[in-house]
Amino acid sequence: MFDFPATVAELTDIPEQYQALYDAVEDGYQLTESLSVRFAAEGQEQEVEGLRRENADLATQLQEKEQELTGLIARHDEQQLEIVVRHAIREAKGIEVLLWPHVRGQVGFCEQEEGRVLCVLDETGDPRHLDDGHPFGLEDLLQEMKSSTTFSRAFDGENVSGGGMSPSGNSGSINRINRQDQTAVNSHIEQIAAGTVSVS
């Protein structure tokens, strides 16, 4: 395909069928002005279209990177959340295997003035607050669970009654298992919840 150069030194450099499109100038031959303007406009259109395609490609790449970053942040948040929550459960002398799923369902990261912080959430997903307006912290949540009849027995049997009687009303001493023995804890979850087995 002939590219129609803007200027040539000799007219013989142009195919014969196109020579009529060139005018003689002082130092050679030049494409007629009307054609020069037309080719320049077409070139600009092609350049603009090329830039549009490049911008579209960059926008796609940016969206992919943003999705990748969002995934990395979510995984980092989940790892950090698990570390903090499990540590808090241990500090409260709670049984991780029993309390973890219940605590996990009530916490998440929130955007605050000081940055992203771990928050205890209410049923609508908003951060909970104490009566004085201060944030309802993870320790507050665990204390609330420790005081409830539903979760109290998941805190090292602190609410288990003595006197040789199990909370279920059966006589005999309560069996104890080591809290570090995860297999034993897993196999006695129902008994731990019922208070017939304590964890030490």
Side-chain angles (χ1 to χ4, degrees):
M1 180 178 177
F2 186 61
D3 292 333
F4 294 95
T7 60
V8 294
E10 299 292 340
L11 194 59
T12 53
D13 294 336
I14 304 298
E16 185 175 354
Q17 66 268 33
Y18 300 132
Q19 290 179 3
L21 302 177
Y22 284 79
D23 295 329
V25 292
E26 191 173 319
D27 56 352
Y29 294 85
Q30 179 177 295
L31 194 64
T32 60
E33 184 177 354
S34 60
L35 287 178
S36 296
V37 172
R38 176 182 172 185
F39 288 159
E42 290 177 353
Q44 289 175 352
E45 288 179 0
Q46 291 174 356
E47 184 176 355
V48 169
E49 183 60 29
L51 290 173
R52 286 173 179 166
R53 286 195 297 268
E54 289 182 13
N55 286 338
D57 291 341
L58 289 174
T60 299
Q61 293 176 21
L62 179 60
Q63 184 178 16
E64 292 174 350
K65 292 296 182 183
E66 288 177 344
Q67 291 175 347
E68 182 179 347
L69 179 59
T70 299
L72 289 173
I73 292 174
R75 288 193 293 273
H76 175 268
D77 283 355
E78 186 62 30
Q79 291 173 354
Q80 289 298 111
L81 185 148
E82 182 168 357
I83 291 171
V84 172
V85 169
R86 288 189 181 277
H87 175 74
I89 292 174
R90 289 193 297 269
E91 288 293 305
K93 300 186 182 302
I95 302 171
E96 287 182 53
V97 69
L98 296 177
L99 294 172
W100 159 249
H102 300 284
V103 178
R104 174 62 189 91
Q106 301 183 62
V107 295
F109 280 95
C110 304
E111 294 289 347
Q112 304 288 353
E113 291 183 359
E114 61 271 27
R116 290 170 57 77
V117 297
L118 185 67
C119 298
V120 178
L121 308 175
D122 60 21
E123 294 179 354
T124 64
D126 294 322
R128 290 180 62 181
H129 292 85
L130 297 169
D131 293 337
D132 60 7
H134 285 85
F136 191 90
L138 183 56
E139 293 77 11
D140 298 314
L141 174 62
L142 290 168
Q143 185 58 48
E144 180 181 76
M145 297 176 76
K146 186 182 292 189
S147 301
S148 76
T149 56
T150 303
F151 297 105
S152 60
R153 291 174 178 170
F155 290 88
D156 277 355
E158 291 182 1
N159 292 284
V160 175
S161 60
M165 295 291 291
S166 69
S168 61
N170 296 327
S171 61
S173 61
I174 299 175
N175 293 324
R176 291 183 177 274
I177 58 177
N178 189 323
R179 66 182 300 139
Q180 302 300 327
D181 187 349
Q182 195 64 46
T183 300
V185 171
N186 290 341
S187 62
H188 292 82
I189 289 178
E190 293 183 3
Q191 292 92 329
I192 293 171
T196 58
V197 173
S198 64
V199 179
S200 60

